[in-house]
Structures are given as structure tokens and as C-alpha cells.
Amino acid sequence: MDAGNSNYTDYVRDKYNQYGGPKDPWHRYAQERIDHFTGQLVREAGLPENAYLLNAGSSGNDHGLTEFRQMHVDLAEATIQHLPEHIQGSVESIPLPDQTFDACVCVGSVLNYADGMKTIRELTRLLKPGGILVIEFEISNSAEYLFTKHGGADQAFVSTFLNYEEERINVYSRSAIFSLLDELGLRRERVVAFHVLSPWVYRLTGSINFAARFAALDPLVRWSWLSRRAGNLILRCRKS
Ligand SMILES: C[S@@+](CC[C@H](N)C(=O)[O-])C[C@H]1O[C@@H](n2cnc3c(N)ncnc32)[C@H](O)[C@@H]1O
């Protein structure tokens, strides 16, 4: 199995058609931070009142942004089919015209299950000039992969964990994503790291529960060089 092939896509679709949410403290914390920052980064962007938002790989989660009209796209139809505007399909290729949306949101490691680079290009195509892109993803620079062959790789298919089980995902380096954003004329307005110390503790101890406790220190260490080795980044960019 390899990210990008159809077996992997089927695996992801089946998994999320039955997914019951994060059950380990590492991912419960991540979900809470993602919902919090997504709401904040979108609301602080100064979008027009009638803004139209694309929620790519949404799993039906509107992140509390109920004041905006939203189009939900997901591989897992069970998560979105009850919603008034939805498309079952891949975020890598969305059958909608250029410049349809004021905001595109792709958070919750969706980029790590898809071809992240292709997806960012596709979301940029769908954004109006001046529109915002909010993305969140897991990075290869994380201390979790330090001294492994994938540490710092521009793109790598790695083994990690979710709900105490092995999970295979794509990770990207911070610099590979930032270069692509520059190339596409997406200006970074805010970058927030989370799971800053916890990947170090996980790497040293192998204990998910123990490591997850160190996420509580994120607000203190987010500003330090340690954030370069954080597990997750969420950012807002604006299309020129
Ligand atoms: C961990 S969930 C995150 C859901 C939501 N974005 C959130 O933050 O709560 C990942 C979602 O991405 C979806 N997904 C993964 N790869 C995808 C792809 N290539 N195209 C569309 N959806 C995808 C999965 O089906 C799943 O619903």
C-alpha cells in the first residue's frame, strides 16, 4: 500500500466511513486544537459576510463556522451525504470552476492522506484572488521522525499511529510546503505549531499517553526553536 494508489484511497474511504473520532489523547488534543485554530484563522481573515467556503476532507465537521455557506468534499460519503452541499470525491481533483470560493479549509491531516502538493494546487485554483487557504498537516521535520530515513524529507510515506494502531500517511517538510505556497502566490499570514514537545517525548519513550501530556506546554514553547520539530502546523495564506 502506498499513498496515492487506489488501494490506499479505498482504505482511507472505508476507514473514515466508519470512524468514531479520536480515541487516544494525542489525537483528541489535535482535534480540539484544529477546531479552535480553524475557527480563529477563518474568522480573523476579514471575509465578506456572504463568503463561500470549501471544506476539503471535512468528514462533515464544520468547525463551528456555521455563519458561512460551506461546500463539503470527502472521500467518505457517509460523513457528508446528509449535508445540503457536498461532493463525494478526492480533494486532489474537485469538479468545480476556477475561483469559486472565498476560503478553502483543508485541515485534520487530510493533506497527509492525499497527495498534499496536488491538493494545494487544486485548492488554489478554486480560490478567488484575495481568498484564504487554511491548511493543517503533519510534518516530516517532527521530532517523531528524527534520525529516521524520513526525517526532514520533502515528502515521505511513513508509519505513525492513530487510536493506538499503526497508521500510514504522507508527511511533508515545512520547506517543501512553504516553497509550493510561494510558487503559487500564497502569502503566509499566520503559522501556528502544535504538538511541539510531545513528539520528542514520544520519540524517547514510545508512550502515546505519556507524550500527549506534554502538549499542554505548547503555549509556552510554541515561540521557541523547538517548534521547528513540532508534529503539526496550521496556517493561513492569502492568494494574491
Ligand atoms: C482525520 S479526518 C479530518 C476531518 C476534518 N477535516 C476535521 O478536521 O475534523 C480526515 C478526513 O479526510 C478525508 N480524506 C482523506 N483523503 C482524502 C482525499 N484524497 N479526498 C477527500 N477526502 C479525503 C477522510 O475521508 C476523512 O474524512
Side-chain angles (χ1 to χ4, degrees), residues 175-188:
S175 58
I177 296 279
F178 285 11
S179 302
L180 178 63
L181 298 174
D182 291 345
E183 179 198 320
L184 296 173
L186 289 156
R187 185 167 36 87
R188 296 190 294 281

Side-chain angles (χ1 to χ4, degrees), residues 12 16 31 34 57-59 61 63 74-76 89-91 107-108 110 113-114:
V12 173
Y16 281 99
Q31 184 72 62
I34 288 164
S58 75
S59 235
N61 182 355
H63 305 289
D74 205 290
L75 283 178
S90 177
V91 293
V107 299
V110 180
Y113 286 108

Side-chain angles (χ1 to χ4, degrees), residues 22 24 31 49 65 95-96 106 139 150 164 170 185 188 193-194 237 240:
D24 68 68
Q31 184 72 62
E49 252 177 43
L65 292 163
L96 291 172
C106 189
I139 57 175
H150 300 309
Y164 302 111
N170 276 314
R188 296 190 294 281
F194 61 93
C237 321
S240 45

